[in-house]
Amino acid sequence: MDLIEVLKNNLFLQNLAAKIYSLTPCFIEHNLGKYRAIKKAFFLTALEQLEGDYLEFGVFTGSSFVYAMQIHQKLKGLSTKETRFFGFDSFEGFGEVQSYDAHPFYKTDTFKVDSKRTLANIKKHAGKLETHLVKGFFRDSIKGKSTTDLGISKARVIFIDCDLKEASSLALEFAKPSLQVGTVLIMDDFFAYRGDATLGVCGAFEEFNAANSNFRWRQVGDYGYGGVVYVLSAC
C-alpha cells in the first residue's frame, strides 16, 4: 500500500499531524524562517565574495543580530571578507506612531525591551567581531544622515524589521549610499496592513524605488509569515 492509500484510510495520522503542527507558536515558526533568510543572505554574499557590512534596523531583543554574527562566523571558510555589524533601535518601542502607520498591533511600546540586556547578549556573542549599536528613535538617530556618517561605504546584508512605514523609509534612505550590486535586502512584515502596498514596510520600499529608478531588485525568496528577500541586481 502506497503512502496516499495509507493517508486516505488513516484519518488518525492526518489529524495527529495537524494537531502537532498547530502546537507550534506562530512567532516561533516565523522566527525560524527569518533565521533561514539571514543564513541564505550570508551564504549568497559569501559565495560572491561581496564586501560590506551588516545593517539591522529594528534589533529588539537582538536574536536576529546574534544569529547573523553566528552564521557569518560559520561561513568564514567561504569568504575572506571582513564584515562589521551595525544595529539600530530605540529599544523604547515605536514612540509616536504617525496616523498613516496606525495598526491594531503596532502600539507605542509594543517592542519596548531592556536595552542593557540586549546589548549584553550581543557583546557576549560578538567575540572579535566589530559591532556598533545606534540607540534612538530613527527620526532622531538617522534622519537626515546616511551610512557615510558612520564610515559605512558598502552594505553586504540589510535587514529591515521596523514594521512602520516611517521607520522603514528612514532606514532605506539612510542605507542608500551603501547599496551595491549584490546587496541582499531582507524585509519583515512586508504584507502587513491587510496587504496594502502603500503602507508599512512595503509602502516604504515602493516609494523608495519610485524615487530611485536606477535601482533594480530581484526577489530571492520569502520566509515566515510575511518576510521577503531581495538582491540588488543593478544600481
Side-chain angles (χ1 to χ4, degrees):
M1 186 180 295
D2 62 24
L3 181 59
I4 297 298
E5 288 299 318
V6 171
L7 292 175
K8 282 169 57 178
N9 294 293
N10 198 326
L11 294 179
F12 170 77
L13 288 179
Q14 296 183 49
N15 292 336
L16 179 62
K19 179 66 174 179
I20 292 173
Y21 191 66
S22 71
L23 294 175
T24 305
C26 295
F27 286 111
I28 290 179
E29 188 175 0
H30 177 72
N31 282 341
L32 290 175
K34 180 163 54 178
Y35 295 154
R36 182 173 179 271
I38 293 172
K39 186 175 184 178
K40 177 185 286 188
F42 273 89
F43 177 76
L44 291 176
T45 53
L47 282 180
E48 299 293 339
Q49 298 294 312
L50 196 70
E51 296 180 328
D53 300 317
Y54 174 77
L55 283 63
E56 181 169 307
F57 298 91
V59 177
F60 192 36
T61 62
S63 63
S64 300
F65 196 89
V66 167
Y67 181 76
M69 293 190 297
Q70 292 174 332
I71 202 62
H72 169 62
Q73 293 287 62
K74 292 288 186 181
L75 295 172
K76 287 287 280 186
L78 284 178
S79 173
T80 58
K81 305 301 181 183
E82 293 298 324
T83 297
R84 299 176 298 171
F85 291 77
F86 291 81
F88 305 83
D89 205 306
S90 70
F91 303 105
E92 297 292 335
F94 293 121
E96 181 184 357
V97 177
Q98 301 296 329
S99 58
Y100 56 80
D101 273 327
H103 188 278
F105 182 73
Y106 305 143
K107 302 300 183 182
T108 299
D109 59 353
T110 299
F111 294 108
K112 184 176 181 179
V113 293
D114 182 349
S115 61
K116 291 182 179 179
R117 185 180 182 187
T118 298
L119 297 177
N121 186 47
I122 290 173
K123 183 178 180 180
K124 176 183 176 181
H125 291 88
K128 295 182 179 180
L129 293 175
E130 184 177 340
T131 62
H132 302 269
L133 276 296
V134 179
K135 186 177 180 180
F137 295 115
F138 292 177
R139 65 180 70 95
D140 301 319
S141 63
I142 64 174
K143 185 177 182 179
K145 300 178 182 179
S146 74
T147 46
T148 57
D149 293 305
L150 295 183
I152 303 169
S153 60
K154 296 180 180 179
R156 175 181 174 183
V157 178
I158 299 174
F159 182 25
I160 294 181
D161 190 9
C162 37
D163 308 300
L164 307 184
K165 183 177 184 178
E166 179 193 22
S168 300
S169 295
L170 291 172
L172 286 166
E173 193 61 31
F174 175 82
K176 183 167 70 171
S178 68
L179 294 175
Q180 60 178 316
V181 172
T183 295
V184 175
L185 175 62
I186 306 170
M187 293 176 284
D188 211 57
D189 303 299
F190 199 72
F191 302 99
Y193 294 91
R194 303 185 181 186
D196 191 329
T198 68
L199 300 177
V201 181
C202 182
F205 187 58
E206 291 290 327
E207 290 186 5
F208 178 77
N209 288 322
N212 299 276
S213 58
N214 54 310
F215 292 131
R216 293 288 184 271
W217 301 89
R218 292 181 62 195
Q219 187 167 351
V220 176
D222 53 39
Y223 66 90
Y225 287 17
V228 296
V229 185
Y230 284 85
V231 62
L232 187 60
S233 59
C235 64

